[in-house]
Amino acid sequence: MSNKEEWNRILQIVGEEGYPTDSEFADKCVKKFSVMRNLFYVILFGGSFYIIQGGRIIPNNDLVFQGVMAAIIISAFAYIKQKKVLHLELNRYAFRECWPDKGLSRYLSFVPTALRKQMLWSVTQYNFGCIFFRLGRIDKAAKSLALMQESSTTAYNMLLALHLKHYIALYYNDYDTVISCANEASVIYPKVRHTTWNNKIFGDLQMYGTYANCFKNNAPQQVYSVLQSPQERPMDEVERQYYLYRAAIVLNDLESAERFKRYVMDNAGTTWYGQAVRENFVPESKPVNYPGYIIRTEMLNSPSKVDNSRLKYMLLGVLIVLLFYIVPRLL
């Protein structure tokens, strides 16, 4: 499936609800990144061709060689720096601050600019799913998760899908599914790179798996110790305080419940947690395809090594290198 077709599937989930794009973000951050990325690729491929051609087309010169190497190194550092800036700003409101509506606007601005580039659609589907979940559009989050059924083949992809699945299950108080997500993550986790983000996701799955066990075993008082550690990200802290509030209500601990409720109301931004503590929260009906994502046992135990969406770009890279090597020898 082409990038355009994959994007159209997400747009069908977005619907026609008038979500705005963030033009300022697109102008200041996305365009700057695109320029820096294109410049880096031009310098990298041009420099690589000069080095590989071995003087057959362009005479070798030590000064030129040093200039080429310096240009590649400098452009690489500039590209990596701008990529980090883009990643930080793109995900600031979607995953860190409590303004998922702004996060959605930024993603709607960014993804169309990248359709001609490499796209990891399982990651994009996960990102949109998490944004919709935090907006309280659980139906849209579930549809995004359903798309991950066919796109998630590596351990990393499956870990993301389990993370989104556990969020939706928590919304429906489906503690068995939350626990199964934590258990499946324990199988997947040793097979993924232990980056900061992957560690966080795994930690979330285990923490809320234990939270679900407390309720399933009629021990909600244990939630206070399970969720005792404050979270660094504002979004995560609001979520923690919300689930502490849920436990306090069950325990009839009204003083603690009021404290947790006040924190959530003051800091929830545009997430659904604020409205949930102001009203008597009752989950909407489960979607027809709930839970929308199931990992087959064979995939759980033996995930793919490479994301299928990367293969064509890897093959293209190999082809370019071969051409750089062969063409000078044919001339």
Side-chain angles (χ1 to χ4, degrees):
M1 190 175 294
S2 69
N3 283 347
K4 186 175 181 180
E5 290 171 325
E6 290 283 9
W7 178 231
N8 284 335
R9 293 207 297 173
I10 292 178
L11 288 180
Q12 288 176 5
I13 297 173
V14 173
E16 299 180 357
E17 299 186 27
Y19 296 113
T21 57
D22 190 334
S23 57
E24 182 179 358
F25 168 71
D27 291 338
K28 291 185 176 179
C29 200
V30 177
K31 286 184 179 179
K32 187 174 182 180
F33 168 74
S34 297
V35 170
M36 186 57 64
R37 177 181 56 193
N38 293 338
L39 178 62
F40 167 67
Y41 284 151
V42 168
I43 293 175
L44 176 64
F45 289 130
S48 299
F49 178 78
Y50 172 79
I51 294 169
I52 293 174
Q53 58 91 32
R56 291 178 175 82
I57 299 176
I58 305 173
N60 284 335
N61 181 287
D62 289 343
L63 186 61
V64 173
F65 177 80
Q66 293 173 4
V68 167
M69 292 303 298
I72 292 176
I73 293 171
I74 292 171
S75 64
F77 276 109
Y79 167 64
I80 292 171
K81 179 180 179 180
Q82 192 58 39
K83 185 176 182 180
K84 288 182 178 179
V85 171
L86 174 67
H87 185 268
L88 176 64
E89 292 302 321
L90 181 61
N91 292 305
R92 178 184 300 278
Y93 299 116
F95 293 97
R96 178 172 289 274
E97 307 294 339
C98 295
W99 303 99
D101 54 331
K102 294 182 180 179
L104 180 59
S105 293
R106 291 195 166 186
Y107 265 93
L108 289 173
S109 300
F110 169 71
V111 175
T113 69
L115 292 180
R116 294 184 180 180
K117 311 296 181 182
Q118 182 178 358
M119 291 292 297
L120 298 180
W121 285 106
S122 59
V123 177
T124 304
Q125 292 154 1
Y126 164 79
N127 292 340
F128 274 90
C130 287
I131 291 170
F132 284 130
F133 169 79
R134 284 162 173 152
L135 283 171
R137 296 307 310 268
I138 313 303
D139 57 333
K140 294 180 182 292
K143 290 177 182 178
S144 299
L145 176 62
L147 293 182
M148 298 186 73
Q149 184 69 59
E150 60 185 81
S151 64
S152 299
T153 57
T154 67
Y156 172 60
N157 298 154
M158 286 187 276
L159 187 66
L160 294 181
L162 288 172
H163 194 222
L164 178 55
K165 181 179 178 180
H166 106 285
Y167 272 136
I168 298 172
L170 279 170
Y171 176 87
Y172 289 116
N173 302 322
D174 180 359
Y175 299 128
D176 286 333
T177 297
V178 176
I179 294 167
S180 71
C181 286
N183 293 337
E184 290 175 341
S186 296
V187 178
I188 287 292
Y189 183 63
K191 302 178 177 67
V192 303
R193 291 175 56 206
H194 290 182
T195 63
T196 301
W197 182 245
N198 290 344
N199 293 342
K200 178 200 175 307
I201 289 177
F202 180 70
D204 285 351
L205 285 160
Q206 298 310 305
M207 180 171 67
Y208 285 107
T210 306
Y211 164 91
N213 260 313
C214 292
F215 276 95
K216 186 176 180 181
N217 296 326
N218 297 314
Q221 69 277 5
Q222 295 180 7
V223 170
Y224 287 171
S225 59
V226 171
L227 301 182
Q228 64 180 328
S229 299
Q231 300 294 299
E232 182 266 333
R233 295 168 180 252
M235 182 82 77
D236 296 333
E237 181 60 12
V238 165
E239 290 172 352
R240 184 183 77 93
Q241 298 266 353
Y242 170 74
Y243 290 111
L244 284 169
Y245 166 79
R246 292 284 305 280
I249 291 296
V250 173
L251 293 168
N252 200 33
D253 181 358
L254 300 183
E255 182 179 349
S256 295
E258 182 60 29
R259 185 173 71 254
F260 299 140
K261 176 180 179 179
R262 179 54 53 188
Y263 183 92
V264 174
M265 290 178 63
D266 291 345
N267 296 278
T270 53
T271 66
W272 64 273
Y273 300 109
Q275 182 178 358
V277 297
R278 283 191 293 268
E279 304 171 357
N280 293 324
F281 170 70
V282 177
E284 60 190 41
S285 300
K286 292 179 182 178
V288 175
N289 67 334
Y290 179 84
Y293 180 85
I294 299 174
I295 299 179
R296 300 191 305 274
T297 302
E298 62 272 21
M299 288 296 297
L300 186 66
N301 295 320
S302 300
S304 300
K305 300 297 183 183
V306 180
D307 191 319
N308 291 334
S309 60
R310 287 186 183 272
L311 287 176
K312 62 181 179 181
Y313 299 102
M314 293 173 65
L315 293 174
L316 179 61
V318 171
L319 177 61
I320 291 173
V321 172
L322 287 175
L323 288 175
F324 281 176
Y325 182 80
I326 295 173
V327 169
R329 285 160 176 75
L330 296 177
L331 297 177

